[in-house]
Amino acid sequence: MSACEAAPTPWIFAVGCDMPLLDPRAVRELWTRVANHAERAPEAVVPVSRRGRREPLHAFYRRSGVISHRNSVSGEGSFNAFLAEFDHVDYAELNELPQLIRLSTTNINTVAELEHVTERQRE
């Protein structure tokens, strides 16, 4: 929330530090979703996988929307309630980039996961 208060722009892009495969094309595709709602842009664009998993740390958030909703965030599980208020984008709706989005949102938290992803990239 502090980042939103300090941001000089009306929108921020949140990304996890454990997503080393972040791809600018995936980020641009999400931004297109924001830009396509010129008359009433959503407060956030959060991708959702085919399994229903949200990717809140690979998403655009309207700065003012996050600040206005921050008081509703309290208690355990509150981040999911907070996210439920925002528009979500299914990977399948992201033109021809669902695989790119999946790669861009890949979390790598262990050496084993890094080795696995590195091996897959070589194939």
Side-chain angles (χ1 to χ4, degrees):
M1 302 287 181
S2 296
C4 288
E5 291 175 351
T9 59
W11 286 88
I12 64 163
F13 180 74
V15 63
C17 62
D18 59 354
M19 295 180 175
L21 303 177
L22 182 68
D23 191 297
R25 295 171 293 175
V27 176
R28 276 193 299 274
E29 185 65 24
L30 288 174
W31 180 250
T32 299
R33 301 298 291 206
V34 173
N36 285 343
H37 290 88
E39 69 283 349
R40 189 188 89 49
E43 292 186 23
V45 175
V46 180
V48 179
S49 73
R50 290 187 176 117
R51 295 179 184 155
R53 181 172 175 234
R54 293 182 184 125
E55 293 292 351
L57 291 180
H58 192 285
F60 278 98
Y61 295 92
R62 186 194 306 255
R63 181 181 172 272
S64 62
V66 172
I67 292 170
S68 70
H69 286 94
R70 81 182 205 177
N71 293 332
S72 68
V73 178
S74 63
E76 192 169 328
S78 60
F79 192 65
N80 283 330
F82 177 70
L83 285 176
E85 299 182 30
F86 296 131
D87 288 350
H88 298 87
V89 179
D90 189 306
Y91 288 176
E93 296 177 21
L94 294 172
N95 296 335
E96 299 175 5
L97 297 176
Q99 180 62 26
L100 182 62
I101 296 283
R102 275 194 290 279
L103 287 173
S104 192
T105 59
T106 298
N107 294 335
I108 298 178
N109 298 305
T110 66
V111 172
E113 289 174 347
L114 177 60
E115 290 170 352
H116 176 72
V117 169
T118 302
E119 187 61 36
R120 284 181 41 194
Q121 293 292 347
R122 290 183 190 147
E123 296 174 357

